[in-house]
Amino acid sequence: MVKAMFIDFYGTVVHEDGEVIKKISQEIYDTGKVANKSEIGSYWWNEFQTAFNGAYGDCFETQRKLEYDSLAKTIHHFNSSANAEVLSDLMFAHWVKPPIFEDSKHFFDICPVPIYVVSNIDRDDVLQALEYHGLKPTGAFTSEDAKSYKPRKELFEFALKSTGLSADEVVHIGDSLSSDVKGASSVGINAIWLNRSNREVPVDVTAVKNLLEVYDTEYLR
């Protein structure tokens, strides 16, 4: 029996920062030496992922620091005169006031069980975003709390321990196959993939196109 919902936040409840990333990349392109603008996003993502993958336990760093450091390296790599602090602030502003998906508030309103946000983000940022949209989950667990990022299991284990729930009493919803589906499954939590862009669904993955479809899955019937 499902006693609670775990739910990802950015990309699931609210929009990711893709448009801000495009704006930042354009600024680096305009002020640097870049042959192809797509190189900026690829380099930045690789720098971030390298730091992200090593950030756990005693080596943990906040999402803000990881993003700032990877952006600063990207600016330097492309010989750009852009200001890393100014551009980072654009991203951070999005994190605390992100646009919300149309179905999200209704999903929170009608959910018959407690909802817990489980997010790869700094705690203050997600709390500000929740307040901004008037969303009131029963609780929120972040990478900063667990000193680890999804898809590593520590964040999911932290959420289970904090709620006193077992893995079979929870369903996790998220928009990332790797972070959400793989991460939740690694500790025995059933996962629902939020596939808003109608991508091909892998075998043995339960997928929905919007949050309200979650209530039509086998887990909540």
Side-chain angles (χ1 to χ4, degrees), residues 3-67:
K3 294 185 177 180
M5 288 281 189
F6 287 177
I7 190 167
D8 174 55
F9 195 66
Y10 297 93
T12 300
V13 177
V14 298
H15 289 263
E16 289 278 15
D17 51 12
E19 291 304 312
V20 179
I21 298 298
K22 289 180 183 178
K23 185 175 182 179
I24 292 172
S25 296
Q26 184 66 51
E27 178 66 17
I28 295 172
Y29 180 75
D30 291 341
T31 59
K33 297 178 181 179
V34 190
N36 188 326
K37 189 163 60 177
S38 64
E39 295 176 26
I40 298 170
S42 296
Y43 184 90
W44 186 5
W45 178 246
N46 287 335
E47 285 295 319
F48 175 75
Q49 279 294 103
T50 298
F52 176 89
N53 290 335
Y56 59 90
D58 292 339
C59 296
F60 179 80
E61 298 282 2
T62 64
Q63 183 99 321
R64 283 193 175 221
K65 187 173 190 307
L66 293 178
E67 285 286 18

Side-chain angles (χ1 to χ4, degrees), residues 16-128:
E16 289 278 15
D17 51 12
E19 291 304 312
V20 179
I21 298 298
K22 289 180 183 178
K23 185 175 182 179
I24 292 172
S25 296
Q26 184 66 51
E27 178 66 17
I28 295 172
Y29 180 75
D30 291 341
T31 59
K33 297 178 181 179
V34 190
N36 188 326
K37 189 163 60 177
S38 64
E39 295 176 26
I40 298 170
S42 296
Y43 184 90
W44 186 5
W45 178 246
N46 287 335
E47 285 295 319
F48 175 75
Q49 279 294 103
T50 298
F52 176 89
N53 290 335
Y56 59 90
D58 292 339
C59 296
F60 179 80
E61 298 282 2
T62 64
Q63 183 99 321
R64 283 193 175 221
K65 187 173 190 307
L66 293 178
E67 285 286 18
Y68 177 84
D69 288 350
S70 61
L71 175 58
K73 288 180 180 179
T74 302
I75 290 171
H76 177 75
H77 178 78
F78 292 106
N79 297 305
S80 167
S81 60
N83 186 306
E85 187 171 343
V86 170
L87 295 184
S88 291
D89 284 345
L90 295 176
M91 193 162 37
F92 301 157
H94 171 92
W95 291 356
V96 298
K97 293 184 178 181
I100 193 168
F101 288 109
E102 291 183 3
D103 53 332
S104 295
K105 288 188 177 181
H106 191 43
F107 173 82
F108 271 71
D109 288 341
I110 68 175
C111 188
V113 296
I115 297 175
Y116 296 91
V117 170
V118 179
S119 176
N120 275 350
I121 194 65
D122 303 341
R123 185 164 186 82
D124 284 348
D125 288 328
V126 76
L127 291 181
Q128 287 188 62

